[in-house]
Amino acid sequence: MARKERAAKAPKEPGRIKQMVQVFHMTRRYDPSVVWWMILGFVGSVAVFVIAAVLFSRDSIVGIVLWSVAGLLAGVLVTMIILGRRAERAAYGQIAGQPGAVGAVFKGSLPRGWAGSEMPVAVNGKTQDAVYRAIGRGGIALVGEGPVSRTRRMVEDEKRKVSRVLPNVPVTTLYVGPDESSVPLHRVPRELRRVKPQLTKPEVLAVSNRLSSLGNALPIPKGVDPFKVRPQRAR
């Protein structure tokens, strides 16, 4: 009986449609332009298929119907893609500037072929500035979190440390902070995706194993949960 009561009281998870509605409302709250982008994506997709129907199936009613249905489906797909991208951007916009924000990006949005930990490899205990490290086909990426004036030295120190161990591996540096020259938080995955691949998969694994031997005895910045540490994994 107790089990049945607990099962009955267990909250029911919202359905897929309800989740999408919640995501839409959250995104619109922080990015009102998402509505117009979604409308533009839907109308544009449908228009492309309607034009294709006129060009290729003007004499076939069945063809026009099929093209129209395909256009509606394509419009819905494009709309969902736009919503997903904008929702991700809005979510990162809410945590931008907080300690551990880059770690959140590393945890859930690293591009395919890149691996990184949500825990930093260097931290300033007073200012909570941090340096994060990712490894991928493009080599090693060091991302400084905080003002460039404070994090540049930390990033350069980490770069020298990495170069001593792996002198032939390219190192890319990025800065995420309040400076105009810094990379916005939501653009970090895009910047890593632009890095030209220079290592093979076995070389990436070898680099990861070599760097893991360095170890990191670091103070943990506020905003980072030490109980959510996960091992690096290839994507």
Side-chain angles (χ1 to χ4, degrees):
M1 292 295 293
R3 292 182 179 179
K4 292 182 178 180
E5 291 179 359
R6 285 196 296 268
K9 294 180 180 180
K12 185 179 180 180
E13 295 184 0
R16 181 66 58 86
I17 296 179
K18 188 174 182 179
Q19 289 178 358
M20 293 175 61
V21 172
Q22 292 175 348
V23 170
F24 171 75
H25 287 304
M26 183 277 293
T27 306
R28 187 176 61 175
R29 188 179 305 117
Y30 293 93
D31 183 11
S33 64
V34 67
V35 177
W36 297 108
W37 282 108
M38 292 174 66
I39 293 175
L40 180 62
F42 180 82
V43 173
S45 300
V46 173
V48 169
F49 278 81
V50 169
I51 294 174
V54 173
L55 293 176
F56 301 108
S57 302
R58 65 176 66 183
D59 298 327
S60 173
I61 297 179
V62 175
I64 293 176
V65 171
L66 292 177
W67 278 104
S68 301
V69 172
L72 292 174
L73 295 177
V76 172
L77 177 61
V78 171
T79 301
M80 293 299 99
I81 292 175
I82 293 174
L83 176 60
R85 296 287 178 84
R86 290 280 169 166
E88 183 180 58
R89 181 171 180 174
Y92 286 140
Q94 296 179 54
I95 64 174
Q98 300 181 19
V102 174
V105 175
F106 273 31
K107 179 181 178 182
S109 298
L110 280 179
R112 183 179 180 85
W114 286 89
S117 172
E118 61 185 292
M119 300 301 294
V121 295
V123 176
N124 185 319
K126 294 183 179 180
T127 63
Q128 303 302 321
D129 298 330
V131 178
Y132 294 82
R133 183 176 65 209
I135 306 168
R137 294 288 304 280
I140 299 171
L142 299 176
V143 182
E145 181 181 77
V148 176
S149 59
R150 297 201 306 247
T151 57
R152 185 182 299 277
R153 183 172 181 178
M154 297 172 59
V155 172
E156 292 300 324
D157 288 345
E158 189 62 29
K159 184 177 180 180
R160 283 192 292 269
K161 184 194 302 183
V162 169
S163 298
R164 284 197 298 268
V165 179
L166 299 162
N168 298 321
V169 178
V171 179
T172 301
T173 58
L174 301 174
Y175 294 90
V176 176
D179 306 272
E180 293 184 0
S181 59
S182 297
V183 178
L185 183 64
H186 68 275
R187 290 182 61 91
V188 171
R190 185 182 303 179
E191 293 297 323
L192 293 180
R193 201 175 289 115
R194 290 180 176 178
V195 180
K196 183 179 179 180
Q198 301 186 51
L199 302 179
T200 63
K201 290 184 179 181
E203 288 174 339
V204 172
L205 181 60
V207 169
S208 179
N209 293 335
R210 189 70 181 274
L211 289 178
S212 63
S213 64
L214 294 178
N216 295 298
L218 301 170
I220 299 174
K222 297 178 181 179
V224 177
D225 189 348
F227 296 101
K228 294 183 179 179
V229 179
R230 296 183 178 179
Q232 294 182 353
R233 58 183 182 180
R235 291 176 178 269

PDB file of all heavy atoms in Angstrom, residues 195-215:
ATOM      1  N   VAL A 195      38.187  26.013 -35.174  1.00  0.00           N
ATOM      2  CA  VAL A 195      39.604  25.654 -35.084  1.00  0.00           C
ATOM      3  C   VAL A 195      39.900  24.522 -36.072  1.00  0.00           C
ATOM      4  O   VAL A 195      39.214  23.501 -36.086  1.00  0.00           O
ATOM      5  CB  VAL A 195      39.974  25.219 -33.655  1.00  0.00           C
ATOM      6  CG1 VAL A 195      41.446  24.839 -33.581  1.00  0.00           C
ATOM      7  CG2 VAL A 195      39.672  26.355 -32.674  1.00  0.00           C
ATOM      8  N   LYS A 196      40.906  24.705 -36.878  1.00  0.00           N
ATOM      9  CA  LYS A 196      41.252  23.742 -37.915  1.00  0.00           C
ATOM     10  C   LYS A 196      41.764  22.440 -37.296  1.00  0.00           C
ATOM     11  O   LYS A 196      42.681  22.460 -36.467  1.00  0.00           O
ATOM     12  CB  LYS A 196      42.322  24.321 -38.846  1.00  0.00           C
ATOM     13  CG  LYS A 196      42.691  23.414 -40.002  1.00  0.00           C
ATOM     14  CD  LYS A 196      43.737  24.074 -40.884  1.00  0.00           C
ATOM     15  CE  LYS A 196      44.141  23.158 -42.025  1.00  0.00           C
ATOM     16  NZ  LYS A 196      45.179  23.793 -42.896  1.00  0.00           N
ATOM     17  N   PRO A 197      41.202  21.292 -37.664  1.00  0.00           N
ATOM     18  CA  PRO A 197      41.683  20.006 -37.127  1.00  0.00           C
ATOM     19  C   PRO A 197      43.133  19.755 -37.531  1.00  0.00           C
ATOM     20  O   PRO A 197      43.490  19.890 -38.699  1.00  0.00           O
ATOM     21  CB  PRO A 197      40.745  18.979 -37.769  1.00  0.00           C
ATOM     22  CG  PRO A 197      39.531  19.753 -38.162  1.00  0.00           C
ATOM     23  CD  PRO A 197      40.030  21.119 -38.540  1.00  0.00           C
ATOM     24  N   GLN A 198      43.953  19.373 -36.560  1.00  0.00           N
ATOM     25  CA  GLN A 198      45.354  19.094 -36.823  1.00  0.00           C
ATOM     26  C   GLN A 198      45.828  17.795 -36.181  1.00  0.00           C
ATOM     27  O   GLN A 198      46.963  17.372 -36.416  1.00  0.00           O
ATOM     28  CB  GLN A 198      46.232  20.253 -36.322  1.00  0.00           C
ATOM     29  CG  GLN A 198      45.893  21.588 -36.966  1.00  0.00           C
ATOM     30  CD  GLN A 198      46.859  22.675 -36.579  1.00  0.00           C
ATOM     31  OE1 GLN A 198      48.074  22.519 -36.678  1.00  0.00           O
ATOM     32  NE2 GLN A 198      46.333  23.808 -36.108  1.00  0.00           N
ATOM     33  N   LEU A 199      44.982  17.180 -35.370  1.00  0.00           N
ATOM     34  CA  LEU A 199      45.355  15.939 -34.698  1.00  0.00           C
ATOM     35  C   LEU A 199      44.425  14.814 -35.123  1.00  0.00           C
ATOM     36  O   LEU A 199      43.260  15.044 -35.457  1.00  0.00           O
ATOM     37  CB  LEU A 199      45.282  16.109 -33.171  1.00  0.00           C
ATOM     38  CG  LEU A 199      46.129  17.212 -32.529  1.00  0.00           C
ATOM     39  CD1 LEU A 199      45.890  17.238 -31.024  1.00  0.00           C
ATOM     40  CD2 LEU A 199      47.598  17.032 -32.842  1.00  0.00           C
ATOM     41  N   THR A 200      44.934  13.603 -35.102  1.00  0.00           N
ATOM     42  CA  THR A 200      44.105  12.424 -35.340  1.00  0.00           C
ATOM     43  C   THR A 200      43.459  12.008 -34.027  1.00  0.00           C
ATOM     44  O   THR A 200      43.854  12.480 -32.948  1.00  0.00           O
ATOM     45  CB  THR A 200      44.947  11.269 -35.896  1.00  0.00           C
ATOM     46  OG1 THR A 200      45.923  10.896 -34.910  1.00  0.00           O
ATOM     47  CG2 THR A 200      45.660  11.682 -37.182  1.00  0.00           C
ATOM     48  N   LYS A 201      42.478  11.126 -34.095  1.00  0.00           N
ATOM     49  CA  LYS A 201      41.812  10.664 -32.871  1.00  0.00           C
ATOM     50  C   LYS A 201      42.778   9.983 -31.914  1.00  0.00           C
ATOM     51  O   LYS A 201      42.713  10.227 -30.694  1.00  0.00           O
ATOM     52  CB  LYS A 201      40.655   9.736 -33.245  1.00  0.00           C
ATOM     53  CG  LYS A 201      39.487  10.457 -33.911  1.00  0.00           C
ATOM     54  CD  LYS A 201      38.336   9.508 -34.178  1.00  0.00           C
ATOM     55  CE  LYS A 201      37.165  10.253 -34.812  1.00  0.00           C
ATOM     56  NZ  LYS A 201      36.008   9.364 -35.069  1.00  0.00           N
ATOM     57  N   PRO A 202      43.669   9.100 -32.387  1.00  0.00           N
ATOM     58  CA  PRO A 202      44.653   8.514 -31.451  1.00  0.00           C
ATOM     59  C   PRO A 202      45.549   9.570 -30.812  1.00  0.00           C
ATOM     60  O   PRO A 202      45.906   9.459 -29.634  1.00  0.00           O
ATOM     61  CB  PRO A 202      45.459   7.562 -32.347  1.00  0.00           C
ATOM     62  CG  PRO A 202      44.532   7.210 -33.458  1.00  0.00           C
ATOM     63  CD  PRO A 202      43.740   8.466 -33.709  1.00  0.00           C
ATOM     64  N   GLU A 203      45.904  10.607 -31.572  1.00  0.00           N
ATOM     65  CA  GLU A 203      46.739  11.670 -31.016  1.00  0.00           C
ATOM     66  C   GLU A 203      45.975  12.467 -29.961  1.00  0.00           C
ATOM     67  O   GLU A 203      46.560  12.880 -28.948  1.00  0.00           O
ATOM     68  CB  GLU A 203      47.212  12.589 -32.137  1.00  0.00           C
ATOM     69  CG  GLU A 203      48.260  11.956 -33.046  1.00  0.00           C
ATOM     70  CD  GLU A 203      48.606  12.828 -34.241  1.00  0.00           C
ATOM     71  OE1 GLU A 203      47.779  13.707 -34.593  1.00  0.00           O
ATOM     72  OE2 GLU A 203      49.675  12.628 -34.829  1.00  0.00           O
ATOM     73  N   VAL A 204      44.680  12.691 -30.198  1.00  0.00           N
ATOM     74  CA  VAL A 204      43.858  13.385 -29.202  1.00  0.00           C
ATOM     75  C   VAL A 204      43.831  12.599 -27.899  1.00  0.00           C
ATOM     76  O   VAL A 204      43.958  13.165 -26.801  1.00  0.00           O
ATOM     77  CB  VAL A 204      42.425  13.593 -29.731  1.00  0.00           C
ATOM     78  CG1 VAL A 204      41.523  14.129 -28.623  1.00  0.00           C
ATOM     79  CG2 VAL A 204      42.429  14.551 -30.909  1.00  0.00           C
ATOM     80  N   LEU A 205      43.674  11.279 -27.995  1.00  0.00           N
ATOM     81  CA  LEU A 205      43.660  10.435 -26.806  1.00  0.00           C
ATOM     82  C   LEU A 205      44.999  10.486 -26.092  1.00  0.00           C
ATOM     83  O   LEU A 205      45.063  10.556 -24.851  1.00  0.00           O
ATOM     84  CB  LEU A 205      43.314   9.001 -27.199  1.00  0.00           C
ATOM     85  CG  LEU A 205      43.243   7.985 -26.049  1.00  0.00           C
ATOM     86  CD1 LEU A 205      42.179   8.406 -25.038  1.00  0.00           C
ATOM     87  CD2 LEU A 205      42.938   6.592 -26.597  1.00  0.00           C
ATOM     88  N   ALA A 206      46.089  10.459 -26.849  1.00  0.00           N
ATOM     89  CA  ALA A 206      47.423  10.519 -26.250  1.00  0.00           C
ATOM     90  C   ALA A 206      47.639  11.851 -25.542  1.00  0.00           C
ATOM     91  O   ALA A 206      48.202  11.899 -24.434  1.00  0.00           O
ATOM     92  CB  ALA A 206      48.486  10.299 -27.326  1.00  0.00           C
ATOM     93  N   VAL A 207      47.178  12.941 -26.158  1.00  0.00           N
ATOM     94  CA  VAL A 207      47.300  14.265 -25.536  1.00  0.00           C
ATOM     95  C   VAL A 207      46.493  14.322 -24.242  1.00  0.00           C
ATOM     96  O   VAL A 207      46.949  14.850 -23.223  1.00  0.00           O
ATOM     97  CB  VAL A 207      46.835  15.358 -26.517  1.00  0.00           C
ATOM     98  CG1 VAL A 207      46.698  16.704 -25.805  1.00  0.00           C
ATOM     99  CG2 VAL A 207      47.810  15.478 -27.678  1.00  0.00           C
ATOM    100  N   SER A 208      45.290  13.781 -24.280  1.00  0.00           N
ATOM    101  CA  SER A 208      44.437  13.773 -23.087  1.00  0.00           C
ATOM    102  C   SER A 208      45.091  13.000 -21.946  1.00  0.00           C
ATOM    103  O   SER A 208      45.102  13.460 -20.793  1.00  0.00           O
ATOM    104  CB  SER A 208      43.071  13.168 -23.428  1.00  0.00           C
ATOM    105  OG  SER A 208      42.249  13.123 -22.290  1.00  0.00           O
ATOM    106  N   ASN A 209      45.654  11.845 -22.255  1.00  0.00           N
ATOM    107  CA  ASN A 209      46.310  11.037 -21.228  1.00  0.00           C
ATOM    108  C   ASN A 209      47.537  11.752 -20.666  1.00  0.00           C
ATOM    109  O   ASN A 209      47.813  11.687 -19.458  1.00  0.00           O
ATOM    110  CB  ASN A 209      46.713   9.678 -21.796  1.00  0.00           C
ATOM    111  CG  ASN A 209      45.509   8.824 -22.136  1.00  0.00           C
ATOM    112  OD1 ASN A 209      44.432   8.999 -21.578  1.00  0.00           O
ATOM    113  ND2 ASN A 209      45.674   7.894 -23.067  1.00  0.00           N
ATOM    114  N   ARG A 210      48.260  12.426 -21.537  1.00  0.00           N
ATOM    115  CA  ARG A 210      49.455  13.138 -21.081  1.00  0.00           C
ATOM    116  C   ARG A 210      49.100  14.300 -20.162  1.00  0.00           C
ATOM    117  O   ARG A 210      49.730  14.525 -19.133  1.00  0.00           O
ATOM    118  CB  ARG A 210      50.234  13.653 -22.302  1.00  0.00           C
ATOM    119  CG  ARG A 210      51.607  14.213 -21.969  1.00  0.00           C
ATOM    120  CD  ARG A 210      52.566  13.116 -21.539  1.00  0.00           C
ATOM    121  NE  ARG A 210      53.868  13.634 -21.210  1.00  0.00           N
ATOM    122  CZ  ARG A 210      54.837  13.846 -22.116  1.00  0.00           C
ATOM    123  NH1 ARG A 210      54.605  13.573 -23.393  1.00  0.00           N
ATOM    124  NH2 ARG A 210      56.004  14.310 -21.733  1.00  0.00           N
ATOM    125  N   LEU A 211      48.064  15.035 -20.528  1.00  0.00           N
ATOM    126  CA  LEU A 211      47.666  16.174 -19.705  1.00  0.00           C
ATOM    127  C   LEU A 211      47.040  15.742 -18.381  1.00  0.00           C
ATOM    128  O   LEU A 211      47.156  16.442 -17.375  1.00  0.00           O
ATOM    129  CB  LEU A 211      46.666  17.048 -20.479  1.00  0.00           C
ATOM    130  CG  LEU A 211      47.238  17.846 -21.644  1.00  0.00           C
ATOM    131  CD1 LEU A 211      46.139  18.627 -22.336  1.00  0.00           C
ATOM    132  CD2 LEU A 211      48.335  18.792 -21.170  1.00  0.00           C
ATOM    133  N   SER A 212      46.355  14.599 -18.389  1.00  0.00           N
ATOM    134  CA  SER A 212      45.742  14.127 -17.149  1.00  0.00           C
ATOM    135  C   SER A 212      46.793  13.809 -16.095  1.00  0.00           C
ATOM    136  O   SER A 212      46.491  13.798 -14.899  1.00  0.00           O
ATOM    137  CB  SER A 212      44.883  12.888 -17.423  1.00  0.00           C
ATOM    138  OG  SER A 212      45.689  11.815 -17.895  1.00  0.00           O
ATOM    139  N   SER A 213      48.020  13.567 -16.520  1.00  0.00           N
ATOM    140  CA  SER A 213      49.083  13.261 -15.565  1.00  0.00           C
ATOM    141  C   SER A 213      49.575  14.510 -14.844  1.00  0.00           C
ATOM    142  O   SER A 213      50.265  14.414 -13.832  1.00  0.00           O
ATOM    143  CB  SER A 213      50.263  12.598 -16.288  1.00  0.00           C
ATOM    144  OG  SER A 213      50.854  13.487 -17.227  1.00  0.00           O
ATOM    145  N   LEU A 214      49.225  15.702 -15.377  1.00  0.00           N
ATOM    146  CA  LEU A 214      49.653  16.932 -14.720  1.00  0.00           C
ATOM    147  C   LEU A 214      48.979  17.116 -13.378  1.00  0.00           C
ATOM    148  O   LEU A 214      49.576  17.578 -12.421  1.00  0.00           O
ATOM    149  CB  LEU A 214      49.351  18.132 -15.624  1.00  0.00           C
ATOM    150  CG  LEU A 214      50.135  18.221 -16.935  1.00  0.00           C
ATOM    151  CD1 LEU A 214      49.671  19.442 -17.719  1.00  0.00           C
ATOM    152  CD2 LEU A 214      51.625  18.305 -16.663  1.00  0.00           C
ATOM    153  N   GLY A 215      47.666  16.770 -13.325  1.00  0.00           N
ATOM    154  CA  GLY A 215      46.903  16.932 -12.089  1.00  0.00           C
ATOM    155  C   GLY A 215      46.584  18.393 -11.855  1.00  0.00           C
ATOM    156  O   GLY A 215      47.236  19.301 -12.364  1.00  0.00           O
TER     157      GLY A 215
END
